[in-house]
């Protein structure tokens, strides 16, 4: 089978590897690159557990071939943590607000929240709900997740966040 020479930026580092043209981004991340923070729920674009950011925009990685990120920048949940182990303020807020139970949806929630907060410093609740609407949580009832995003927004605005 003809392989594609894929080159892209992943969590701030350049990556080059050969991939089958039909390989999905989620499988490349989890199987080839061992980034298992990106979860697989439905493989149909319904649950959002597989969300990653591509050039800052949330994408369901179960729906796009890996070759589509050639030359682009991908951020997975692993990329939010600093190299010294300090968590991003959105991650910290999810912990402090008790917004994580089983954690299966958490990466998708946090990356969608990051995309929102990077374009809107102080989103209102309806904007937060809309931004997270593509991610299903079966555990928390969403109230604490919304509160976590509000908390992260406030801390980032005050300039106390670890990033951005
Ligand atoms: S696994 Fe991709 S949206 Fe559910
Ligand atoms: S914390 Fe379990 S699915 Fe959201």
């Amino acid at each position: 089978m003809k392989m594609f020479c894929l080159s892209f930026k992943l969590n701030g580092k350049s990556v080059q590897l050969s991939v089958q043209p039909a390989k999905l981004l989620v499988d490349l991340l989890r199987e080839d690159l061992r980034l298992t923070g990106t979860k697989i729920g439905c493989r149909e674009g319904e649950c959002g557990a597989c969300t990653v950011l591509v050039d800052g925009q949330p994408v369901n990685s179960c729906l796009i071939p890996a070759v589509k990120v050639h030359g682009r920048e991908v951020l997975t949940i692993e990329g939010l943590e600093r190299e010294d182990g300090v968590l991003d303020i959105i991650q910290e807020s999810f912990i402090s607000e008790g917004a994580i139970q089983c954690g299966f949806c958490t990466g998708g929630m946090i990356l969608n929240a990051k995309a929102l907060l990077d374009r809107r410093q102080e989103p209102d609740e309806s904007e937060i709900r809309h931004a997270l609407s593509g991610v299903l949580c079966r555990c928390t009832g969403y109230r604490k997740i919304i509160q976590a995003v509000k908390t992260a927004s406030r801390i980032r605005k005050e300039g106390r966040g670890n990033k951005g």
Side-chain angles (χ1 to χ4, degrees):
M1 178 179 294
K2 193 165 181 227
M3 302 292 274
F4 182 87
C5 185
L6 175 64
S7 173
F8 67 110
K9 198 167 257 192
L10 176 61
N11 298 336
K13 294 187 177 141
S14 295
V15 173
Q16 274 120 25
L17 69 176
S18 292
V19 298
Q20 294 174 4
K23 183 152 215 159
L24 293 169
L25 180 58
V26 69
D27 295 325
L28 180 86
L29 293 170
R30 289 178 53 86
E31 294 168 5
D32 299 53
L33 299 167
R34 305 279 181 217
L35 295 176
T36 54
T38 303
K39 303 300 184 195
I40 297 173
C42 62
R43 283 192 180 273
E44 293 179 350
E46 297 294 334
C47 74
C50 65
T51 301
V52 299
L53 300 189
V54 177
D55 294 338
Q57 298 302 314
V59 166
N60 288 328
S61 61
C62 71
L63 294 183
I64 66 164
V67 296
K68 291 276 188 193
V69 301
H70 185 68
R72 301 173 79 182
E73 197 154 331
V74 176
L75 182 74
T76 70
I77 191 65
E78 289 89 349
L80 274 190
E81 182 181 332
R82 286 197 332 210
E83 284 194 359
D84 61 4
V86 174
L87 296 178
D88 183 89
I89 198 61
I90 306 173
Q91 294 172 302
E92 291 284 8
S93 297
F94 269 66
I95 294 168
S96 66
E97 297 294 346
I100 303 169
Q101 287 188 27
C102 80
F104 198 79
C105 71
T106 306
M109 290 289 185
I110 288 174
L111 287 169
N112 275 280
K114 176 174 171 50
L116 172 65
L117 295 179
D118 283 352
R119 69 173 187 276
R120 285 274 295 150
Q121 189 177 47
E122 277 186 287
D124 62 25
E125 181 158 332
S126 68
E127 289 173 304
I128 296 171
R129 285 186 180 277
H130 180 73
L132 302 184
S133 62
V135 189
L136 301 180
C137 178
R138 291 175 174 80
C139 305
T140 67
Y142 298 94
R143 190 176 56 80
K144 291 181 176 179
I145 291 172
I146 305 292
Q147 185 55 48
V149 179
K150 288 180 181 175
T151 299
S153 165
R154 179 174 45 79
I155 294 172
R156 282 166 59 125
K157 187 175 174 222
E158 291 167 356
R160 292 192 286 123
N162 298 320
K163 281 192 175 178

